[in-house]
Amino acid sequence: MSSAPQPVRQPARAAAAAFIGTMIEWYDFYIYATAAALVFGELYFPSHDPFISTMASFATFAVGFFARPLGGVIFGHLGDRIGRKKALMTTLMMMGIATVGVGLLPPYTRVGLLAPVLLVLLRVVQGVAVGGEWGGAVLMAGEHAPEGRRTFFASFAQLGSPAGLILSLIAFRAVTSMEHADFIAWGWRLPFLASALLLIVGIVIRLGVNESPEFEQEKRLKRTVELPIAEVFRSSGALVALCIGANTIGIAGVYFTNTFMISYTTQYVGVTKSLILDCLFVVAIIQLVSQPLAAWFAEKLGGARFLKFAALCAMVSPYPMFILVQSGTPASMIVGIALAVVCMASFYSVIAGFVSGIFPTHIRYSAISLSYQVCGAIAGGLTPLVGTYLAHRFTGQWWPLAVFYTCLAGLSLVCIVALDALKHRRADAPDALLTR
């Protein structure tokens, strides 16, 4: 009797598919974030007070984060039961359809309260899709990786975030150069409608990647479980809680230095929308370059040691950032934001491979999705709101915002230290609890 053929690893193709797929999903997510900062307050939450409109707009942004744990649970279950690839194809289609729907949505002046209600519903669909996307993309890249290279290959899924940001900034930079009336009337919709083309590209690319070889082995050995999420809580609840905290600066930092910084600089520093978008575009390119370098260096230094160093740097970074941003000049703003972003992005690049190595294969999708998305709901969803409140409450003072950012990075540092202390419980190889 011949043995079953061994699953074929496709490290380069899986990493490329993870990168391009997450790039498309994050493009969709970021154009919503940019529109929330620039236009949704005016179109869907009109008010005599710009602060109220901005807060309402960012609240819909937060709703997408609160939906992400639901997506993590649903698609974590599907990914651990029927396969990573099928789950990822579904999340990509959901995100594309919801994003195009936002681009077709009529404003408040035409349909009244129905407009913000539909906007929130579409945002929930986006949140569920992203909630299921991240874990699957990380695992498809990491589980196809050559032995000992999980950290580097999993980082390609993380690379989709700055790439998606670059695409979203290009799209919005083009439309914000229009006359304001045209931008508000129809120009802002173009980046959302363009998502339909990206959706087709993403589907074609992902169809060419085999299922995760580690999942195929679990299925062949009949080691999948009926309720992966229940097994996660039963065997790994404490590790999940620490992973939630560990992800904080990698998630919250993105939306602090991008989404919140757009509204902060335009409302409190007095720069134009086009200027801050240009600055963030340059910073996003710096992030795109720095992330794979950070992942490569982390393989040499050790994941936990590197993450501790990156978190410490992130704790210090907001102070020079705000000092430089306050000047309002393009060069100083780029340098200031880039300092914080490089520290945050270095952490973000490595945390995916580190966290995915903590859990055994048969519950890995559910465990890492739950930890990442719960953190996303809390840290990512609330960061722009808290930042907006602090900026309004302490008008003209940047230090409360810097302290807030330091606390976010400090939480990640504490949790990484704790996870490293519990490394005897980690599962860096499939279904093996290693001490190393």
Side-chain angles (χ1 to χ4, degrees):
M1 180 177 176
S2 60
S3 60
Q6 292 296 310
V8 176
R9 291 183 182 270
Q10 300 172 297
R13 182 177 295 183
F19 164 64
I20 293 172
T22 54
M23 177 185 71
I24 294 168
E25 294 242 5
W26 282 114
Y27 165 81
D28 290 351
F29 213 67
Y30 280 135
I31 57 173
Y32 189 103
T34 307
L38 294 179
V39 72
F40 284 166
E42 180 178 347
L43 281 181
Y44 295 102
F45 306 96
S47 169
H48 67 280
D49 187 344
F51 169 70
I52 299 298
S53 294
T54 301
M55 288 292 285
S57 180
F58 277 149
T60 69
F61 178 68
V63 164
F65 282 91
F66 299 145
R68 284 167 61 168
L70 176 61
V73 171
I74 292 172
F75 289 100
H77 175 84
L78 295 175
D80 283 330
R81 289 285 299 150
I82 65 175
R84 284 56 162 135
K85 182 175 179 176
K86 292 176 182 177
L88 284 173
M89 294 298 294
T90 305
T91 61
L92 188 62
M93 293 183 67
M94 285 177 61
M95 176 60 90
I97 292 170
T99 302
V100 173
V102 172
L104 297 173
L105 196 62
Y108 183 92
T109 54
R110 288 183 53 190
V111 295
L113 286 175
L114 183 61
V117 169
L118 290 176
L119 182 65
V120 169
L121 289 176
L122 290 170
R123 181 61 176 166
V124 168
V125 175
Q126 278 195 328
V128 171
V130 168
E133 163 71 21
W134 180 85
V138 166
L139 294 186
M140 282 293 278
E143 292 176 353
H144 273 278
E147 186 174 352
R149 304 297 310 280
R150 185 191 301 273
T151 295
F152 181 73
F153 279 84
S155 74
F156 279 85
Q158 304 291 72
L159 201 58
S161 177
L165 176 60
I166 289 171
L167 284 182
S168 71
L169 289 172
I170 290 173
F172 263 94
R173 182 63 183 88
V175 296
T176 53
S177 63
M178 302 167 60
E179 292 291 332
H180 181 72
D182 291 334
F183 172 67
I184 293 296
W186 56 272
W188 70 270
R189 300 178 183 275
L190 298 180
F192 288 86
L193 300 178
S195 181
L197 298 176
L198 295 177
L199 173 62
I200 296 172
V201 173
I203 290 174
V204 170
I205 290 171
R206 283 196 166 165
L207 283 173
V209 181
N210 295 336
E211 178 57 87
S212 157
E214 292 184 18
F215 174 78
E216 290 285 16
Q217 180 175 318
E218 293 296 297
K219 188 168 65 173
R220 188 174 65 255
L221 296 175
K222 302 186 186 306
R223 292 196 296 209
T224 56
V225 294
E226 287 295 324
L227 286 173
I229 194 66
E231 178 66 17
V232 169
F233 283 113
R234 187 192 67 80
S235 64
S236 305
L239 292 175
V240 167
L242 288 173
C243 287
I244 290 171
N247 275 296
T248 300
I249 191 60
I251 296 174
V254 172
Y255 298 101
F256 189 99
T257 56
N258 290 293
T259 305
F260 167 70
M261 196 57 72
I262 293 174
S263 64
Y264 176 77
T265 53
T266 54
Q267 294 183 30
Y268 297 97
V269 181
V271 306
T272 63
K273 294 174 181 178
S274 60
L275 175 58
I276 184 59
L277 290 178
D278 285 345
C279 292
L280 290 177
F281 176 74
V282 176
V283 172
I285 294 174
I286 295 171
Q287 180 181 351
L288 186 69
V289 174
S290 66
Q291 281 193 200
L293 293 175
W296 175 84
F297 188 65
E299 284 193 340
K300 310 298 180 185
L301 185 65
R305 186 179 302 172
F306 181 88
L307 288 169
K308 293 173 190 176
F309 175 74
L312 278 170
C313 292
M315 291 178 68
V316 177
S317 66
Y319 303 94
M321 175 180 71
F322 276 106
I323 291 172
L324 291 166
V325 164
Q326 292 301 121
S327 72
T329 63
S332 63
M333 291 175 67
I334 290 170
V335 172
I337 298 173
L339 284 173
V341 165
V342 167
C343 298
M344 173 275 296
S346 296
F347 185 96
Y348 179 72
S349 178
V350 176
I351 190 66
F354 179 81
V355 169
S356 66
I358 290 174
F359 303 98
T361 306
H362 65 285
I363 61 169
R364 187 175 290 156
Y365 200 145
S366 296
I368 70 169
S369 294
L370 180 66
S371 61
Y372 185 86
Q373 304 308 341
V374 168
C375 181
I378 300 170
L382 295 181
T383 292
L385 286 171
V386 174
T388 300
Y389 170 77
L390 290 174
H392 181 73
R393 174 68 177 80
F394 299 95
T395 303
Q397 303 180 65
W398 56 261
W399 67 263
L401 293 165
V403 170
F404 172 52
Y405 192 95
T406 295
C407 291
L408 295 172
L411 176 59
S412 289
L413 175 61
V414 169
C415 292
I416 290 296
V417 170
L419 285 169
D420 192 37
L422 294 172
K423 64 184 179 182
H424 61 281
R425 296 181 60 186
R426 292 173 56 197
D428 292 285
D431 309 299
L433 298 180
L434 302 181
T435 302
R436 64 177 200 172

mmCIF file with all atom_site columns, all heavy atoms in Angstrom, residues 388-402:
data_model
loop_
_atom_site.group_PDB
_atom_site.id
_atom_site.type_symbol
_atom_site.label_atom_id
_atom_site.label_alt_id
_atom_site.label_comp_id
_atom_site.label_asym_id
_atom_site.label_entity_id
_atom_site.label_seq_id
_atom_site.pdbx_PDB_ins_code
_atom_site.Cartn_x
_atom_site.Cartn_y
_atom_site.Cartn_z
_atom_site.occupancy
_atom_site.B_iso_or_equiv
_atom_site.pdbx_formal_charge
_atom_site.auth_seq_id
_atom_site.auth_comp_id
_atom_site.auth_asym_id
_atom_site.auth_atom_id
_atom_site.pdbx_PDB_model_num
ATOM 1   N N   . THR A 1 388 ? -8.377  61.648 19.394 1.00 0.00 ? 388 THR A N   1
ATOM 2   C CA  . THR A 1 388 ? -9.193  62.824 19.090 1.00 0.00 ? 388 THR A CA  1
ATOM 3   C C   . THR A 1 388 ? -9.679  63.498 20.365 1.00 0.00 ? 388 THR A C   1
ATOM 4   O O   . THR A 1 388 ? -9.668  64.735 20.487 1.00 0.00 ? 388 THR A O   1
ATOM 5   C CB  . THR A 1 388 ? -10.393 62.419 18.211 1.00 0.00 ? 388 THR A CB  1
ATOM 6   O OG1 . THR A 1 388 ? -9.911  61.842 16.992 1.00 0.00 ? 388 THR A OG1 1
ATOM 7   C CG2 . THR A 1 388 ? -11.251 63.626 17.865 1.00 0.00 ? 388 THR A CG2 1
ATOM 8   N N   . TYR A 1 389 ? -10.085 62.691 21.342 1.00 0.00 ? 389 TYR A N   1
ATOM 9   C CA  . TYR A 1 389 ? -10.535 63.253 22.620 1.00 0.00 ? 389 TYR A CA  1
ATOM 10  C C   . TYR A 1 389 ? -9.396  63.988 23.328 1.00 0.00 ? 389 TYR A C   1
ATOM 11  O O   . TYR A 1 389 ? -9.579  65.116 23.819 1.00 0.00 ? 389 TYR A O   1
ATOM 12  C CB  . TYR A 1 389 ? -11.078 62.148 23.528 1.00 0.00 ? 389 TYR A CB  1
ATOM 13  C CG  . TYR A 1 389 ? -11.331 62.631 24.937 1.00 0.00 ? 389 TYR A CG  1
ATOM 14  C CD1 . TYR A 1 389 ? -12.460 63.395 25.240 1.00 0.00 ? 389 TYR A CD1 1
ATOM 15  C CD2 . TYR A 1 389 ? -10.416 62.355 25.960 1.00 0.00 ? 389 TYR A CD2 1
ATOM 16  C CE1 . TYR A 1 389 ? -12.672 63.866 26.519 1.00 0.00 ? 389 TYR A CE1 1
ATOM 17  C CE2 . TYR A 1 389 ? -10.624 62.829 27.241 1.00 0.00 ? 389 TYR A CE2 1
ATOM 18  C CZ  . TYR A 1 389 ? -11.755 63.584 27.525 1.00 0.00 ? 389 TYR A CZ  1
ATOM 19  O OH  . TYR A 1 389 ? -11.963 64.051 28.795 1.00 0.00 ? 389 TYR A OH  1
ATOM 20  N N   . LEU A 1 390 ? -8.223  63.369 23.407 1.00 0.00 ? 390 LEU A N   1
ATOM 21  C CA  . LEU A 1 390 ? -7.089  63.994 24.092 1.00 0.00 ? 390 LEU A CA  1
ATOM 22  C C   . LEU A 1 390 ? -6.666  65.287 23.394 1.00 0.00 ? 390 LEU A C   1
ATOM 23  O O   . LEU A 1 390 ? -6.332  66.282 24.055 1.00 0.00 ? 390 LEU A O   1
ATOM 24  C CB  . LEU A 1 390 ? -5.908  63.019 24.159 1.00 0.00 ? 390 LEU A CB  1
ATOM 25  C CG  . LEU A 1 390 ? -6.084  61.811 25.088 1.00 0.00 ? 390 LEU A CG  1
ATOM 26  C CD1 . LEU A 1 390 ? -4.898  60.862 24.945 1.00 0.00 ? 390 LEU A CD1 1
ATOM 27  C CD2 . LEU A 1 390 ? -6.242  62.258 26.536 1.00 0.00 ? 390 LEU A CD2 1
ATOM 28  N N   . ALA A 1 391 ? -6.652  65.255 22.057 1.00 0.00 ? 391 ALA A N   1
ATOM 29  C CA  . ALA A 1 391 ? -6.272  66.465 21.317 1.00 0.00 ? 391 ALA A CA  1
ATOM 30  C C   . ALA A 1 391 ? -7.260  67.596 21.579 1.00 0.00 ? 391 ALA A C   1
ATOM 31  O O   . ALA A 1 391 ? -6.868  68.767 21.689 1.00 0.00 ? 391 ALA A O   1
ATOM 32  C CB  . ALA A 1 391 ? -6.189  66.159 19.825 1.00 0.00 ? 391 ALA A CB  1
ATOM 33  N N   . HIS A 1 392 ? -8.542  67.255 21.703 1.00 0.00 ? 392 HIS A N   1
ATOM 34  C CA  . HIS A 1 392 ? -9.577  68.257 21.966 1.00 0.00 ? 392 HIS A CA  1
ATOM 35  C C   . HIS A 1 392 ? -9.523  68.735 23.419 1.00 0.00 ? 392 HIS A C   1
ATOM 36  O O   . HIS A 1 392 ? -9.657  69.932 23.696 1.00 0.00 ? 392 HIS A O   1
ATOM 37  C CB  . HIS A 1 392 ? -10.950 67.670 21.655 1.00 0.00 ? 392 HIS A CB  1
ATOM 38  C CG  . HIS A 1 392 ? -12.088 68.619 21.873 1.00 0.00 ? 392 HIS A CG  1
ATOM 39  N ND1 . HIS A 1 392 ? -12.339 69.667 21.030 1.00 0.00 ? 392 HIS A ND1 1
ATOM 40  C CD2 . HIS A 1 392 ? -13.048 68.675 22.848 1.00 0.00 ? 392 HIS A CD2 1
ATOM 41  C CE1 . HIS A 1 392 ? -13.407 70.342 21.459 1.00 0.00 ? 392 HIS A CE1 1
ATOM 42  N NE2 . HIS A 1 392 ? -13.847 69.747 22.561 1.00 0.00 ? 392 HIS A NE2 1
ATOM 43  N N   . ARG A 1 393 ? -9.304  67.799 24.326 1.00 0.00 ? 393 ARG A N   1
ATOM 44  C CA  . ARG A 1 393 ? -9.287  68.125 25.761 1.00 0.00 ? 393 ARG A CA  1
ATOM 45  C C   . ARG A 1 393 ? -8.054  68.948 26.138 1.00 0.00 ? 393 ARG A C   1
ATOM 46  O O   . ARG A 1 393 ? -8.124  69.843 26.978 1.00 0.00 ? 393 ARG A O   1
ATOM 47  C CB  . ARG A 1 393 ? -9.312  66.829 26.565 1.00 0.00 ? 393 ARG A CB  1
ATOM 48  C CG  . ARG A 1 393 ? -9.157  66.978 28.074 1.00 0.00 ? 393 ARG A CG  1
ATOM 49  C CD  . ARG A 1 393 ? -10.360 67.665 28.692 1.00 0.00 ? 393 ARG A CD  1
ATOM 50  N NE  . ARG A 1 393 ? -10.237 67.744 30.134 1.00 0.00 ? 393 ARG A NE  1
ATOM 51  C CZ  . ARG A 1 393 ? -9.515  68.645 30.796 1.00 0.00 ? 393 ARG A CZ  1
ATOM 52  N NH1 . ARG A 1 393 ? -8.847  69.572 30.111 1.00 0.00 ? 393 ARG A NH1 1
ATOM 53  N NH2 . ARG A 1 393 ? -9.455  68.642 32.111 1.00 0.00 ? 393 ARG A NH2 1
ATOM 54  N N   . PHE A 1 394 ? -6.918  68.626 25.535 1.00 0.00 ? 394 PHE A N   1
ATOM 55  C CA  . PHE A 1 394 ? -5.666  69.330 25.837 1.00 0.00 ? 394 PHE A CA  1
ATOM 56  C C   . PHE A 1 394 ? -5.193  70.097 24.605 1.00 0.00 ? 394 PHE A C   1
ATOM 57  O O   . PHE A 1 394 ? -4.074  69.909 24.125 1.00 0.00 ? 394 PHE A O   1
ATOM 58  C CB  . PHE A 1 394 ? -4.589  68.335 26.289 1.00 0.00 ? 394 PHE A CB  1
ATOM 59  C CG  . PHE A 1 394 ? -4.951  67.575 27.530 1.00 0.00 ? 394 PHE A CG  1
ATOM 60  C CD1 . PHE A 1 394 ? -5.538  66.321 27.450 1.00 0.00 ? 394 PHE A CD1 1
ATOM 61  C CD2 . PHE A 1 394 ? -4.703  68.114 28.788 1.00 0.00 ? 394 PHE A CD2 1
ATOM 62  C CE1 . PHE A 1 394 ? -5.866  65.604 28.597 1.00 0.00 ? 394 PHE A CE1 1
ATOM 63  C CE2 . PHE A 1 394 ? -5.032  67.409 29.941 1.00 0.00 ? 394 PHE A CE2 1
ATOM 64  C CZ  . PHE A 1 394 ? -5.620  66.158 29.849 1.00 0.00 ? 394 PHE A CZ  1
ATOM 65  N N   . THR A 1 395 ? -6.053  70.944 24.102 1.00 0.00 ? 395 THR A N   1
ATOM 66  C CA  . THR A 1 395 ? -5.739  71.696 22.881 1.00 0.00 ? 395 THR A CA  1
ATOM 67  C C   . THR A 1 395 ? -4.431  72.471 23.034 1.00 0.00 ? 395 THR A C   1
ATOM 68  O O   . THR A 1 395 ? -4.230  73.186 24.021 1.00 0.00 ? 395 THR A O   1
ATOM 69  C CB  . THR A 1 395 ? -6.874  72.678 22.551 1.00 0.00 ? 395 THR A CB  1
ATOM 70  O OG1 . THR A 1 395 ? -8.092  71.954 22.413 1.00 0.00 ? 395 THR A OG1 1
ATOM 71  C CG2 . THR A 1 395 ? -6.576  73.421 21.249 1.00 0.00 ? 395 THR A CG2 1
ATOM 72  N N   . GLY A 1 396 ? -3.554  72.284 22.058 1.00 0.00 ? 396 GLY A N   1
ATOM 73  C CA  . GLY A 1 396 ? -2.269  72.970 22.074 1.00 0.00 ? 396 GLY A CA  1
ATOM 74  C C   . GLY A 1 396 ? -1.183  72.236 22.831 1.00 0.00 ? 396 GLY A C   1
ATOM 75  O O   . GLY A 1 396 ? -0.032  72.686 22.846 1.00 0.00 ? 396 GLY A O   1
ATOM 76  N N   . GLN A 1 397 ? -1.500  71.092 23.440 1.00 0.00 ? 397 GLN A N   1
ATOM 77  C CA  . GLN A 1 397 ? -0.517  70.299 24.185 1.00 0.00 ? 397 GLN A CA  1
ATOM 78  C C   . GLN A 1 397 ? -0.426  68.897 23.578 1.00 0.00 ? 397 GLN A C   1
ATOM 79  O O   . GLN A 1 397 ? -1.437  68.217 23.472 1.00 0.00 ? 397 GLN A O   1
ATOM 80  C CB  . GLN A 1 397 ? -0.910  70.191 25.662 1.00 0.00 ? 397 GLN A CB  1
ATOM 81  C CG  . GLN A 1 397 ? -1.077  71.521 26.364 1.00 0.00 ? 397 GLN A CG  1
ATOM 82  C CD  . GLN A 1 397 ? -1.475  71.336 27.821 1.00 0.00 ? 397 GLN A CD  1
ATOM 83  O OE1 . GLN A 1 397 ? -0.724  70.808 28.632 1.00 0.00 ? 397 GLN A OE1 1
ATOM 84  N NE2 . GLN A 1 397 ? -2.684  71.771 28.146 1.00 0.00 ? 397 GLN A NE2 1
ATOM 85  N N   . TRP A 1 398 ? 0.779   68.515 23.217 1.00 0.00 ? 398 TRP A N   1
ATOM 86  C CA  . TRP A 1 398 ? 0.938   67.208 22.585 1.00 0.00 ? 398 TRP A CA  1
ATOM 87  C C   . TRP A 1 398 ? 1.377   66.124 23.548 1.00 0.00 ? 398 TRP A C   1
ATOM 88  O O   . TRP A 1 398 ? 1.278   64.932 23.251 1.00 0.00 ? 398 TRP A O   1
ATOM 89  C CB  . TRP A 1 398 ? 1.935   67.278 21.427 1.00 0.00 ? 398 TRP A CB  1
ATOM 90  C CG  . TRP A 1 398 ? 3.289   67.814 21.792 1.00 0.00 ? 398 TRP A CG  1
ATOM 91  C CD1 . TRP A 1 398 ? 3.744   69.080 21.603 1.00 0.00 ? 398 TRP A CD1 1
ATOM 92  C CD2 . TRP A 1 398 ? 4.371   67.100 22.411 1.00 0.00 ? 398 TRP A CD2 1
ATOM 93  N NE1 . TRP A 1 398 ? 5.036   69.209 22.053 1.00 0.00 ? 398 TRP A NE1 1
ATOM 94  C CE2 . TRP A 1 398 ? 5.450   67.998 22.554 1.00 0.00 ? 398 TRP A CE2 1
ATOM 95  C CE3 . TRP A 1 398 ? 4.549   65.784 22.842 1.00 0.00 ? 398 TRP A CE3 1
ATOM 96  C CZ2 . TRP A 1 398 ? 6.674   67.640 23.121 1.00 0.00 ? 398 TRP A CZ2 1
ATOM 97  C CZ3 . TRP A 1 398 ? 5.762   65.415 23.406 1.00 0.00 ? 398 TRP A CZ3 1
ATOM 98  C CH2 . TRP A 1 398 ? 6.810   66.325 23.539 1.00 0.00 ? 398 TRP A CH2 1
ATOM 99  N N   . TRP A 1 399 ? 1.847   66.507 24.738 1.00 0.00 ? 399 TRP A N   1
ATOM 100 C CA  . TRP A 1 399 ? 2.419   65.499 25.632 1.00 0.00 ? 399 TRP A CA  1
ATOM 101 C C   . TRP A 1 399 ? 1.410   64.434 26.090 1.00 0.00 ? 399 TRP A C   1
ATOM 102 O O   . TRP A 1 399 ? 1.797   63.271 26.268 1.00 0.00 ? 399 TRP A O   1
ATOM 103 C CB  . TRP A 1 399 ? 3.096   66.170 26.832 1.00 0.00 ? 399 TRP A CB  1
ATOM 104 C CG  . TRP A 1 399 ? 2.175   66.882 27.781 1.00 0.00 ? 399 TRP A CG  1
ATOM 105 C CD1 . TRP A 1 399 ? 1.890   68.216 27.811 1.00 0.00 ? 399 TRP A CD1 1
ATOM 106 C CD2 . TRP A 1 399 ? 1.423   66.284 28.849 1.00 0.00 ? 399 TRP A CD2 1
ATOM 107 N NE1 . TRP A 1 399 ? 0.996   68.505 28.816 1.00 0.00 ? 399 TRP A NE1 1
ATOM 108 C CE2 . TRP A 1 399 ? 0.705   67.338 29.479 1.00 0.00 ? 399 TRP A CE2 1
ATOM 109 C CE3 . TRP A 1 399 ? 1.289   64.986 29.340 1.00 0.00 ? 399 TRP A CE3 1
ATOM 110 C CZ2 . TRP A 1 399 ? -0.156  67.117 30.559 1.00 0.00 ? 399 TRP A CZ2 1
ATOM 111 C CZ3 . TRP A 1 399 ? 0.442   64.770 30.415 1.00 0.00 ? 399 TRP A CZ3 1
ATOM 112 C CH2 . TRP A 1 399 ? -0.268  65.826 31.023 1.00 0.00 ? 399 TRP A CH2 1
ATOM 113 N N   . PRO A 1 400 ? 0.104   64.755 26.301 1.00 0.00 ? 400 PRO A N   1
ATOM 114 C CA  . PRO A 1 400 ? -0.814  63.666 26.671 1.00 0.00 ? 400 PRO A CA  1
ATOM 115 C C   . PRO A 1 400 ? -0.922  62.600 25.579 1.00 0.00 ? 400 PRO A C   1
ATOM 116 O O   . PRO A 1 400 ? -1.064  61.407 25.874 1.00 0.00 ? 400 PRO A O   1
ATOM 117 C CB  . PRO A 1 400 ? -2.146  64.376 26.889 1.00 0.00 ? 400 PRO A CB  1
ATOM 118 C CG  . PRO A 1 400 ? -1.783  65.790 27.195 1.00 0.00 ? 400 PRO A CG  1
ATOM 119 C CD  . PRO A 1 400 ? -0.589  66.059 26.338 1.00 0.00 ? 400 PRO A CD  1
ATOM 120 N N   . LEU A 1 401 ? -0.841  63.025 24.318 1.00 0.00 ? 401 LEU A N   1
ATOM 121 C CA  . LEU A 1 401 ? -0.881  62.065 23.209 1.00 0.00 ? 401 LEU A CA  1
ATOM 122 C C   . LEU A 1 401 ? 0.376   61.203 23.210 1.00 0.00 ? 401 LEU A C   1
ATOM 123 O O   . LEU A 1 401 ? 0.307   59.990 22.963 1.00 0.00 ? 401 LEU A O   1
ATOM 124 C CB  . LEU A 1 401 ? -0.998  62.823 21.886 1.00 0.00 ? 401 LEU A CB  1
ATOM 125 C CG  . LEU A 1 401 ? -2.322  63.565 21.664 1.00 0.00 ? 401 LEU A CG  1
ATOM 126 C CD1 . LEU A 1 401 ? -2.195  64.556 20.511 1.00 0.00 ? 401 LEU A CD1 1
ATOM 127 C CD2 . LEU A 1 401 ? -3.446  62.579 21.398 1.00 0.00 ? 401 LEU A CD2 1
ATOM 128 N N   . ALA A 1 402 ? 1.522   61.806 23.496 1.00 0.00 ? 402 ALA A N   1
ATOM 129 C CA  . ALA A 1 402 ? 2.769   61.045 23.532 1.00 0.00 ? 402 ALA A CA  1
ATOM 130 C C   . ALA A 1 402 ? 2.756   60.029 24.672 1.00 0.00 ? 402 ALA A C   1
ATOM 131 O O   . ALA A 1 402 ? 3.205   58.886 24.509 1.00 0.00 ? 402 ALA A O   1
ATOM 132 C CB  . ALA A 1 402 ? 3.957   62.001 23.674 1.00 0.00 ? 402 ALA A CB  1
#
